[in-house]
C-alpha cells in the first residue's frame, strides 16, 4: 500500500511539473523582449503577492483555482492553431468560468481566439496541496 501511495504522489508531482513547465514555456515565447525595462519591472512585481510575499507559479495558479468556480486545473495551447487554448476544468460545462480562470492565470501577450474547456480530474489548488503533503512526508 505504501508503494502505491508513493507512486501516486510521484505521478502527481510529475503532472504538476509538466503543467508548470508548459505554462511557463508558453508565456516565455509571447511576451515583450526581456531587455524592456517595463517588462522587467512587471516580471519582478508578479513574483510577489499583494502582501509582499514571494509566490511560486504553483501557488499563483492554486490561488486562481480557489478564486474561480469550476475547478481550474491549468491550460495548454493548441500546437496547430496558435490562438486556441485548452483549459482543464473539473466542471468543463461552464465555459465562462473557464474563460475567467484562464484570463486570471495567463500573463502572456498571445492573442486568444478560442477557449475550450476540457475535463480535468483535479483543480490546481488540490494538486498544490498534494505536492505540499508529499514534501512534508518525504522530507
Amino acid at each position: 500500500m505504501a508503494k502505491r501511495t508513493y507512486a501516486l504522489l510521484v505521478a502527481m508531482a510529475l503532472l504538476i511539473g509538466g503543467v508548470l513547465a508548459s505554462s511557463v514555456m508558453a508565456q516565455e515565447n509571447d511576451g515583450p523582449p526581456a531587455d524592456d525595462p517595463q517588462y522587467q519591472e512587471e516580471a519582478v512585481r508578479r513574483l510577489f503577492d499583494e502582501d509582499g510575499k514571494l509566490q511560486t507559479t504553483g501557488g499563483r495558479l492554486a490561488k486562481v483555482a480557489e478564486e474561480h468556480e469550476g475547478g481550474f486545473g491549468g491550460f495548454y495551447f493548441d500546437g496547430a492553431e496558435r490562438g486556441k487554448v485548452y483549459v482543464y476544468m473539473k466542471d468543463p460545462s461552464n465555459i465562462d468560468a473557464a474563460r475567467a480562470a484562464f484570463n486570471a492565470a495567463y500573463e502572456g501577450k498571445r492573442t486568444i481566439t478560442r477557449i475550450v474547456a476540457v475535463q480535468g480530474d483535479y483543480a490546481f489548488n488540490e494538486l498544490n496541496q498534494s505536492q505540499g503533503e508529499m514534501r512534508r512526508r518525504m522530507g
Side-chain angles (χ1 to χ4, degrees):
M1 183 69 169
K3 286 184 180 182
R4 185 176 182 178
T5 301
Y6 179 75
L8 178 61
L9 290 173
V10 169
M12 287 190 328
L14 292 172
L15 175 66
I16 291 169
V19 169
L20 291 175
S22 64
S23 176
V24 170
M25 286 188 303
Q27 290 181 24
E28 288 176 351
N29 297 329
D30 295 330
D35 59 354
D36 178 351
Q38 182 178 358
Y39 175 74
Q40 291 174 350
E41 182 179 333
E42 290 174 18
V44 170
R45 192 176 304 118
R46 285 191 305 264
L47 292 174
F48 300 92
D49 65 15
E50 54 274 353
D51 297 326
K53 183 179 175 187
L54 183 66
Q55 63 179 352
T56 63
T57 302
R60 187 177 59 76
L61 294 176
K63 187 173 181 179
V64 170
E66 290 169 4
E67 293 175 348
H68 292 82
E69 65 181 79
F72 172 72
F75 61 89
Y76 65 96
F77 292 101
D78 189 300
E81 192 177 330
R82 186 166 167 78
K84 186 176 183 181
V85 64
Y86 297 91
V87 180
Y88 285 111
M89 300 293 287
K90 286 179 69 174
D91 176 12
S93 67
N94 188 342
I95 191 66
D96 291 333
R99 184 175 292 111
F102 171 76
N103 287 334
Y106 182 60
E107 296 178 343
K109 305 295 183 198
R110 181 181 292 204
T111 300
I112 305 303
T113 56
R114 185 169 176 215
I115 294 177
V116 178
V118 294
Q119 183 66 53
D121 294 328
Y122 303 97
F124 216 99
N125 55 333
E126 295 169 337
L127 294 172
N128 202 40
Q129 289 169 354
S130 296
Q131 185 181 36
E133 179 63 27
M134 183 176 57
R135 283 187 186 137
R136 282 188 290 280
R137 288 184 182 200
M138 295 177 81

